[in-house]
Amino acid sequence: MTAISTPRLRDILARTIGPTPWYWKTFPQVNSAASQRFVWTHLGDQGPLGYVVSLGLEQESDKSRLALNTYCRPFFVPPSHLGVWCPEGRSIRLTCFDPDQLKAFDLAEIAGWFKQSSERIYAATAPVADFEIPLGLEPGTHTIPVPTELQSVDELIAPTSYPAKGNDDPAFALYDFYLQAGLVEVLPQKWFTASQYQVGKQWITRAARDPESHRVFGECFGVGSFLLEDDGCRLDQWMEKN
């Protein structure tokens, strides 16, 4: 649509949070209620801590407070908490941490096992909130039990694999969380099917909503960046093709 500026959307997309470890530079700044500043560190692509991204105090670069395995996306929880969502078996897990409560741990504690494990999140301190939503929800809007600690988040769009019954059924969906309202809208991506794409090699990494047109747009790894139609389920156009 000519009314929507694709360069503007591409600029927003470049800042949209994507999964660990590939998009770690898009992760939100973390400044706690006690005015402590935290920094993200990518621990490299090789070795016993390869692909892990850690969070620590700016002045304690050798100590970690939180470690994220592959496919995690951290997000800001107003006024000063940190949320993380990730795939968890056949569910999407959403957690919330108070950065000031996070205890330091030595990365040697997780070297070797964490990279290879199915665990997505490691911390020495339990999250202040933690819940899961199943991946097999029917298309449409559902009421969900959102913990109080996460109810300050307005909208969170989570791209996820989706159980397809056939090669022409959607293999990916966007779970559009409205955490303030206690709702999630399931948007199967009707254009992303096994008959059209290499599911697994190609996948939707991140998505956002345009604040002006309110249309959803995003990025498909191995294909390009896209703009969806008003229903959030059908492809309108490719903004950029790889």
Side-chain angles (χ1 to χ4, degrees):
M1 291 179 62
T2 56
I4 299 177
S5 168
T6 53
R8 179 176 57 81
L9 294 188
R10 286 198 294 266
D11 184 59
I12 297 173
L13 185 61
R15 302 191 303 271
T16 299
I17 294 168
T20 49
W22 308 280
Y23 295 84
W24 73 276
K25 290 185 178 180
T26 65
F27 290 179
Q29 290 187 352
V30 181
N31 297 294
S32 73
S35 299
Q36 296 191 98
R37 179 176 169 80
F38 295 76
V39 293
W40 297 102
T41 302
H42 178 215
L43 301 177
D45 297 333
Q46 305 294 327
L49 290 169
Y51 296 109
V52 175
V53 176
S54 70
L55 179 73
L57 284 172
E58 192 173 35
Q59 67 271 24
E60 291 183 358
S61 58
D62 60 331
K63 291 287 185 180
S64 181
R65 304 288 174 123
L66 180 69
L68 302 180
N69 211 336
T70 49
Y71 305 114
C72 289
R73 281 89 157 180
F75 58 95
F76 178 58
V77 180
S80 56
H81 283 182
L82 176 69
V84 181
W85 77 264
C86 61
E88 188 78 21
R90 298 179 63 83
S91 301
I92 294 177
R93 180 186 180 191
L94 295 97
T95 66
C96 181
F97 292 92
D98 179 351
D100 287 322
Q101 292 183 14
L102 290 172
K103 295 178 181 177
F105 61 89
D106 196 316
L107 285 168
E109 295 178 26
I110 63 171
W113 73 267
F114 186 52
K115 173 184 175 180
Q116 305 297 332
S117 78
S118 60
E119 294 289 330
R120 302 291 102 201
I121 303 169
Y122 181 87
T125 309
V128 296
D130 194 347
F131 76 112
E132 296 182 9
I133 298 297
L135 288 179
L137 291 179
E138 293 293 322
T141 303
H142 306 263
T143 301
I144 55 174
V146 179
T148 303
E149 294 83 359
L150 282 162
Q151 290 178 8
S152 62
V153 177
D154 182 13
E155 185 178 26
L156 177 71
I157 301 178
T160 179
S161 58
Y162 196 63
K165 296 178 181 178
N167 284 343
D168 294 319
D169 293 323
F172 240 79
L174 301 181
Y175 272 48
D176 195 356
F177 289 97
Y178 297 95
L179 298 178
Q180 284 182 347
L183 299 172
V184 62
E185 185 178 10
V186 179
L187 301 169
Q189 297 305 288
K190 297 179 179 180
W191 55 277
F192 192 87
T193 65
S195 63
Q196 297 292 322
Y197 296 92
Q198 298 177 0
V199 179
K201 290 184 178 180
Q202 297 172 331
W203 53 294
I204 299 173
T205 56
R206 50 185 176 167
R209 187 177 297 280
D210 177 19
E212 294 185 10
S213 68
H214 304 292
R215 299 270 289 278
V216 175
F217 61 99
E219 179 181 67
C220 184
F221 177 81
V223 187
S225 55
F226 58 84
L227 175 66
L228 298 180
E229 293 185 2
D230 287 331
D231 65 0
C233 297
R234 292 177 172 84
L235 180 67
D236 180 332
Q237 62 177 277
W238 289 103
M239 299 189 298
E240 193 170 26
K241 209 74 181 291
N242 291 347

